Amino acid sequence: MLQITQAERDGTLVVSLAGELDHHAARMAIEQAEDLLVLYPCEKLVLNLAGLTFMDSSGLAVVLHLHRTCARSGREFVVRGAPPQPMRVFEASGLPQVMIFERGE
């Protein structure tokens, strides 16, 4: 089960995902993140993935969707703390060459 939490500080919204990000949870993750972007106008969205225990290719769709949403609205988008298994999925897709990935939480 996927858990989504948020924190806002100094113009940055941090959305943290914990648990399993699969096709069952992907739509919910996108919808909740978009709702949070409306509730918390910000200059930067950080998607913190440090709490993920599993991610399939649906997680790629979530990250790409949020990246596009931020680009359209002029916000910076950063993926932070991806564990090794999701990071392998991102690297295989080439995403680290087109968006910002940070280590740590």
Side-chain angles (χ1 to χ4, degrees):
M1 176 163 207
L2 185 68
Q3 297 174 338
I4 302 172
T5 57
Q6 80 279 346
E8 189 273 331
R9 56 188 168 272
D10 301 326
T12 298
L13 175 62
V14 178
V15 176
S16 299
L17 305 183
E20 297 185 1
L21 180 54
D22 58 15
H23 70 280
H24 297 293
R27 174 62 30 207
M28 176 187 69
I30 289 171
E31 290 172 357
Q32 285 192 9
E34 286 182 339
D35 289 347
L36 290 169
L37 285 169
V38 171
L39 288 172
Y40 299 96
C42 61
E43 299 170 10
K44 179 178 180 178
L45 171 63
V46 174
L47 185 63
N48 181 358
L49 303 180
L52 286 185
T53 57
F54 173 80
M55 186 188 87
D56 65 13
S57 60
S58 300
L60 289 173
V62 170
V63 170
L64 284 169
H65 182 88
L66 293 176
H67 180 261
R68 280 190 226 116
T69 298
C70 286
R72 281 193 304 266
S73 61
R75 293 179 173 107
E76 183 180 354
F77 178 72
V78 175
V79 177
R80 182 179 292 160
Q85 184 269 332
M87 198 64 209
R88 284 191 297 276
V89 175
F90 293 131
E91 288 170 348
S93 71
L95 284 184
Q97 285 72 44
V98 296
M99 64 182 70
I100 300 169
F101 280 77
E102 295 177 350
R103 298 192 186 277
E105 287 187 41

